[in-house]
Amino acid sequence: MKCLLLLLLTGAGSAVFSQQFTKITSGPLVNTPGDSRSVNWIDVNNDGFLDCMITNGPHAGQNNALYINDGNGNFSAVLNDTIVKDGNPSDGATWADTDNDGDVDCFVVNYYDFNNLYYTNNGDGTFTKIGVGSLVNDGGYSETASWGDYDKDGLLDLYVANSSGNLRNFLYHNDGSNSFTKINVGASVTNTHSSRSVNWTDIDNDDDLDLFVTNEANENEDIYRNDGNGSFTLLTSGPLLNNAGMTMSGSWADIDNDGDLDVFLANDQSPNALFLNDGNFSFTKITGDTVVKGSAHSFSSAWSDIDNDGDLDLFVTNAFTGTVKRVNNLYLNDGSGSFSRVSDAPTNDSCWAYGCSFADYDNDGFEDLAVATVRFAGIDPADLLYHNNGNSNHWFTLNLIGTISNRSAIGTKVRVKAMINGNPVWQMREISAQSSYCSQNDPRAHFGLGNASSIDSISVEWPSGLVQQFSGVNVDQFMTLVEGAVLSGLNEIARPLEFLIFPSPAKDHLTISYKKFPQGLESVYEVIDTNGRILKSGNVKDEIALSGLQHGVYFLRLRSGNLMGVRKFVKE
């Protein structure tokens, strides 16, 4: 049974907004009681449809849940895999392809001094639990974690936020082959704050991931600026870093379409906060908008363009107010960065809620919403799922696969330009493994395009430094981009061509060593600069002359039939 819910916004002097959601009331995802915490949308079996993980975390412990998307709008619960048999008090989770083998792996944090959990994907949507290494033997009172490649070596590192115990957060460097080194030096792992949430995000647009940590207990938030050499500098000045409160969550997004990332802070027992990014770690605090008015009991949030009109809207969860249930909040962006609260669904289901995430689980171009609900009055409720019924606005969704960069493309920025209502509008999305406290949004870059008839420009900025640009792309479609390749449909993805190049730095030539040469096919090479321009091309088997290239960083792309591979090199 499904119950149709109508989102309706009216106001004096404003146009009527109508957006329909359907509250899903059948299936295991919304009929399995749990003391739930985190909502993560990921494709665990590579079938093109997003699956959903929900963690559960009472003191006595409870199994986590994984629901497989059947591709027809329904979900099936995983019952026998190790990933749903932990029985621990789990809080957040973060997913990414941590070993770059083509499938997503999972890290789950536990509270009450339990060890955290790391699961590697076997390639078929089943998992192996890793039991060795500091990653899973440090204990702690962990709240959330997130994967991010802070040194841009193509391997995803991990940061874990702790809110009790010795209060120190964890940073693990990925050494490859599922081996990690715990970092014990630096403010990011020696500060003793009550940390709730963590985001890897490029705050200053300098093409490396900075670290943002929210703190409760009336402590200021922390920004650890990435200095580009594997180290961080703690920043302490400015309104964003002097807004002490009970901050549960940070959600970063470009809400005003000016090309940089702004941040919303969800607070418990104090007003929520919204800060606009002015560049160079400078922020302006928004004080008069509906989105930050009144005392809140908020825990998590999620940004998404729910109506595909070209700007990002905001959902906020609320919980823990004595013996009274709370409703959640949905705020609509009017296009100028000002917000109005929707008074109908999905904001009229009374509950206590933690994590929330948007994802287009039925691939219809409109983002749906899942909400994790926590125990109330001793009773574990079912979680919430709302299907977005869409409208006539256009959209575009891009799936990214890294080759030189980490395979999950974490840290990649996608910029899209289209004419919306007669105006040129640039939008930007950054791929992340944690969108807020206990939350992970759709890993694909989704753009609402309003009445745009086509996309004028797409710019993809990879962590490797490669920038790829495209123009004249049709709206209303899912596409995939393999780093260094061309845009393709979901079922037209090039298979990897495995090869090595040496020397690097190189002087006069590059030598190619194929791991397995495609017999009967000839390789075509292209030398590409960091702006995506092809400087040299031709047919090749094992050596390429570099005459005419200036000193600098380049990419070598090889193609053989439907095989494609990219490698980075330096020309002396």
Side-chain angles (χ1 to χ4, degrees), residues 2 29 41-52 67-77 360-364 368 385 387 444 478 490:
K2 297 181 178 180
L29 198 158
W41 288 104
I42 60 279
D43 184 1
V44 303
N45 53 6
N46 284 335
D47 66 350
F49 290 93
L50 295 179
D51 312 298
C52 185
Y67 302 99
I68 301 300
N69 191 332
D70 297 338
N72 57 7
N74 298 317
F75 294 84
S76 299
D360 184 2
Y361 72 77
D362 58 349
N363 288 347
D364 66 351
D368 315 299
L385 179 64
H387 176 260
R444 304 168 296 190
F478 288 87
L490 283 178

Side-chain angles (χ1 to χ4, degrees), residues 29 37-44 50-56 64-68 75 83 90-96 104-109 143-147 355-359 361 370-372 432-443:
L29 198 158
R37 299 294 192 268
S38 180
V39 181
N40 303 78
W41 288 104
I42 60 279
D43 184 1
V44 303
L50 295 179
D51 312 298
C52 185
M53 182 189 197
I54 294 179
T55 63
N56 298 302
N64 296 321
L66 178 61
Y67 302 99
I68 301 300
F75 294 84
I83 202 169
S90 301
D91 275 340
T94 179
W95 290 75
V104 288
D105 313 294
C106 180
F107 186 80
V108 180
V109 303
E143 297 279 0
T144 52
S146 185
W147 298 101
C356 60
S357 296
F358 283 102
Y361 72 77
V371 180
S432 173
Q434 196 77 178
S435 50
S436 65
Y437 177 61
C438 286
S439 304
Q440 185 171 5
N441 278 350
D442 193 329

Side-chain angles (χ1 to χ4, degrees), residues 242-352:
N242 289 276
N243 189 66
M246 297 288 290
T247 309
M248 301 293 123
S249 176
S251 289
W252 291 82
D254 184 8
I255 69 167
D256 50 4
N257 289 337
D258 67 348
D260 53 30
L261 294 162
D262 315 296
V263 63
F264 175 82
L265 303 183
N267 291 309
D268 183 23
Q269 304 176 42
S270 60
N272 294 327
L274 178 62
F275 294 87
L276 298 184
N277 192 336
D278 300 322
N280 197 29
F281 296 102
S282 177
F283 293 85
T284 296
K285 184 176 183 180
I286 302 302
T287 58
D289 196 88
T290 301
V291 78
V292 295
K293 286 185 177 179
S295 183
H297 292 272
S298 301
F299 282 81
S300 188
S301 52
W303 293 101
S304 176
D305 188 354
I306 66 166
D307 49 0
N308 282 351
D309 66 347
D311 51 56
L312 291 169
D313 311 298
L314 178 68
F315 186 80
V316 182
T317 65
N318 299 298
F320 296 107
T321 50
T323 59
V324 179
K325 289 184 178 181
R326 300 276 296 181
V327 294
N328 300 313
N329 298 323
L330 177 63
Y331 300 98
L332 298 177
N333 192 335
D334 69 358
S336 66
S338 182
F339 295 83
S340 299
R341 186 183 185 277
V342 173
S343 59
D344 295 305
T347 65
N348 56 8
D349 282 315
S350 297
C351 60
W352 283 357

